[in-house]
Amino acid sequence: MDMLQVFHMNKGQGESSYAQNCTVQKKIMLLAKSYLKEAIQGYLKNGYPESMVIADLGCSSGPTALEAVSDIIEAVVATCPKHLSPKFMVFLNDLPKNDFNGVFASFYDFQEKWRKQKGDDFGPCFIAGLPGSFYGRLLPPNGLHFIHSSSSLHWLSQVPQGLNEDDQPRILNKGNVYISRTSTMEVVMAYKQQFRNDFLTFLKCRASEMISSGRMVLTFVGRNSVEPTSLQDSYPWDFISHCLATMVSEGLIEEEKLDSFNVPYYAPCLEEIKELVDEESSFSGHIFEAVEVEWDGGINLNDESSSLMMPTKGERIAKMHRAVAESMLQHYFGADLMDDFFHRYAQVLDDYLIQNPNSKSICLVVSLIKN
Ligand code: SAH
């Protein structure tokens, strides 16, 4: 699968859109706010620049795209003396199929919000879209002061080599779409190697683009255990494999189709990240933390008026995952199977959540300083 051609969050504002289903990512942004603030304050200890060039990598198209920018600007404005507030140049990056129009459509409201809050003290904020993969160079050298990337770096540049649909002379990960308990070492190593290549490339590219002592704050899905085949870490992909396998058994999907499908995703542990940051050596590791996040972002629906029409927890989580993964799944299995597939997936999630109501995933927070 060519990520540049296929992958995108669900567009627009509709029921299945990323914009309406990014609760968990919003929660992660909230968790990361204090790290952003700390990094900005740290950077501004070196002096107050006349202008700041900022990039948000993997911005997507929901409310979170400009929220991240807001959080960064808020932290800068709060730290600088009023008359020394910088002008902002913000680059919003994502893959070319991202709904950039959706982001730009909300730019006016964003500007107005800041103008109302800060009046003339708020220097202009220039925004530009930057389509392309963050696993390549995005900007000219030595220009960026601050980089932010939220909930994006667990996506690989491609399905790991050897596990791609086209380059599997023999099936390596039968019945699974990601590393699972039954995956062989060959599969685990293919995933580890792809992540290693991608993350090192990411660091190298950002190091070229950033000024010395610039800051970078990253959050992405990770895992707690050093061992990637642990039970907890293969969720929810195991459920996705299970639902696809059921559809195979009912003749709705060809078996070979499932067997040759693997996701371009990897959830690393902190140790792997620390090692790669050390090895690449352009950044000083500043903060490395693993934070737990509820599968549904921890929103409490009991507070809202209850109704029989209220979606179950499994349905809500399935919608969130649909907004993220549908472009990829429909590319492989066809758009007409998606409603059926996500309906089954919601049920499997509900069954699991009855026994495990407090299931959580791991979000890694990494704050780096460019040497
Ligand atoms: N930062 C937003 C969106 C997270 S969703 C938030 O926190 O809500 C992850 C985003 O990363 C998606 O929009 C996806 O298209 C983007 N993405 C994945 N791989 C990418 C790559 N190689 N280059 C740029 N963007 C990428």
Side-chain angles (χ1 to χ4, degrees):
M1 181 182 76
D2 181 351
M3 289 290 274
L4 288 151
Q5 293 296 325
V6 173
F7 195 65
H8 60 80
M9 303 297 101
N10 281 356
K11 301 177 188 216
Q13 295 291 326
E15 210 204 324
S16 296
S17 65
Y18 182 77
Q20 300 291 336
N21 292 287
C22 54
T23 320
V24 176
Q25 292 86 346
K26 269 191 197 164
K27 180 68 185 279
I28 289 171
M29 236 172 230
L30 204 64
L31 286 170
K33 217 170 161 171
S34 58
Y35 297 94
L36 271 186
K37 209 166 148 191
E38 191 273 344
I40 294 277
Q41 286 170 347
Y43 174 69
L44 292 173
K45 280 195 183 130
N46 306 325
Y48 304 114
E50 202 175 314
S51 54
M52 264 185 95
V53 186
I54 294 164
D56 184 38
L57 309 181
C59 63
S60 192
S61 56
T64 46
L66 288 172
E67 229 164 87
V69 178
S70 265
D71 288 348
I72 296 166
I73 293 180
E74 199 177 297
V76 176
V77 172
T79 311
C80 288
K82 257 185 170 183
H83 62 291
L84 292 177
S85 216
K87 323 259 179 301
F88 296 96
M89 174 74 233
V90 181
F91 290 101
L92 295 174
N93 156 258
D94 208 291
L95 292 169
K97 295 275 169 163
N98 182 52
D99 181 11
F100 281 104
N101 280 341
V103 183
F104 296 148
S106 53
F107 181 57
Y108 179 76
D109 291 342
F110 165 85
Q111 280 275 37
E112 281 306 290
K113 178 189 123 181
W114 275 103
R115 218 168 264 138
K116 272 193 197 122
Q117 270 184 30
K118 301 288 172 195
D120 293 336
D121 290 335
F122 174 56
C125 177
F126 304 102
I127 292 212
L130 199 59
S133 171
F134 49 53
Y135 294 121
R137 283 292 297 275
L138 294 166
L139 287 163
N142 301 322
L144 277 171
H145 300 86
F146 194 84
I147 292 179
H148 173 255
S149 178
S150 186
S151 303
S152 301
L153 276 158
H154 42 266
W155 292 109
L156 300 170
S157 66
Q158 58 172 68
V159 174
Q161 269 183 3
L163 292 174
N164 224 319
E165 197 176 22
D166 307 326
D167 56 22
Q168 286 191 81
R170 64 197 165 93
I171 298 296
L172 292 180
N173 203 20
K174 191 170 172 51
N176 298 316
V177 303
Y178 178 58
I179 300 171
S180 99
R181 275 160 298 154
T182 55
S183 297
T184 60
M185 212 43 193
E186 200 175 354
V187 171
V188 174
M189 289 319 288
Y191 269 101
K192 268 181 163 291
Q193 190 60 37
Q194 186 65 49
F195 180 77
R196 181 188 148 76
N197 292 349
D198 282 346
F199 199 70
L200 285 174
T201 306
F202 176 85
L203 291 176
K204 213 164 271 143
C205 292
R206 302 301 78 83
S208 308
E209 292 160 354
M210 285 179 90
I211 59 157
S212 175
S213 69
R215 300 283 187 132
M216 177 151 80
V217 177
L218 314 170
T219 64
F220 45 96
V221 183
R223 63 176 202 273
N224 256 339
S225 52
V226 176
E227 179 50 60
T229 52
S230 80
L231 178 63
Q232 205 63 30
D233 295 320
S234 48
Y235 299 141
W237 297 111
D238 267 359
F239 298 143
I240 289 186
S241 306
H242 171 80
C243 294
L244 290 169
T246 312
M247 292 172 86
V248 167
S249 69
E250 291 173 21
L252 296 168
I253 292 175
E254 288 168 37
E255 190 169 6
E256 303 79 62
K257 203 92 189 126
L258 166 60
D259 289 345
S260 61
F261 172 64
N262 291 291
V263 286
Y265 162 102
Y266 183 72
C269 62
L270 274 183
E271 286 71 15
E272 283 173 286
I273 299 297
K274 283 181 195 162
E275 270 174 31
L276 293 173
V277 170
D278 275 354
E279 180 179 334
E280 196 282 331
S281 79
S282 305
F283 295 90
S284 310
H286 181 53
I287 294 175
F288 296 95
E289 264 177 46
V291 186
E292 286 190 328
V293 187
E294 290 91 337
W295 278 9
D296 64 350
I299 50 164
N300 188 357
L301 288 183
N302 295 336
D303 296 345
E304 296 172 19
S305 59
S306 66
S307 121
L308 287 176
M309 295 305 285
M310 283 277 280
T312 62
K313 195 167 176 172
E315 283 168 343
R316 280 186 288 118
I317 296 171
K319 267 176 88 181
M320 293 174 198
H321 292 176
R322 181 172 189 163
V324 170
E326 186 165 16
S327 63
M328 179 174 69
L329 291 169
Q330 79 175 23
H331 173 76
Y332 268 88
F333 301 107
D336 47 346
L337 290 184
M338 290 298 104
D339 284 345
D340 185 4
F341 170 77
F342 281 104
H343 180 65
R344 292 165 191 255
Y345 182 50
Q347 280 180 343
V348 170
L349 283 168
D350 271 330
D351 290 346
Y352 177 77
L353 287 162
I354 288 170
Q355 304 292 333
N356 307 274
N358 298 317
S359 293
K360 296 197 169 87
S361 45
I362 299 296
C363 169
L364 303 186
V365 184
V366 177
S367 182
L368 304 175
I369 305 173
K370 165 79 195 302
N371 296 329

